Amino acid sequence: MTEYEVQPRWIVHLPTTLTSVDGARALAEALRDSLVHVTAIDFGETTLSEEDRQFLRTRVWCDDRLPGGSRCTLRTNHLPPCSPDGL
């Protein structure tokens, strides 16, 4: 592998028994809050999908880049301005 080639990132699909998008979003938030110290997890890229429609994903967090390089941690489609402190 040359210095210009990027190694692929891996996605961990974590099926649940939840039956609502709100329940799945709440679980994603609880996982982020309890595992925020694990630097190998990119919570900003978290998406949700129905079990049989995994190709159709819904973003959980905004994740827009902010001045200084941080990312917005508020929910997608939020009304207040972007913030790195939405946790």
Side-chain angles (χ1 to χ4, degrees):
M1 180 165 281
T2 70
E3 65 180 286
Y4 300 107
E5 292 179 297
V6 177
Q7 292 195 12
R9 292 177 14 158
W10 290 89
I11 306 298
V12 175
H13 300 275
L14 184 64
T16 72
T17 58
L18 299 168
T19 58
S20 75
V21 69
D22 290 334
R25 189 179 311 274
L27 176 61
E29 289 176 4
L31 289 170
R32 178 193 63 185
D33 292 348
S34 64
L35 296 172
V36 71
H37 65 281
V38 179
T39 59
I41 302 173
D42 184 358
F43 283 103
E45 294 293 326
T46 302
T47 58
L48 305 174
S49 66
E50 291 181 38
E51 182 177 24
D52 293 331
R53 299 178 72 193
Q54 293 182 31
F55 58 89
L56 182 59
R57 296 172 181 244
T58 302
R59 290 186 67 91
V60 176
W61 293 288
C62 173
D63 202 38
D64 281 352
R65 187 166 299 283
L66 300 172
S70 62
R71 298 269 188 182
C72 178
T73 58
L74 298 174
R75 282 188 174 195
T76 342
N77 303 322
H78 58 83
L79 293 178
C82 286
S83 169
D85 302 321
L87 289 175

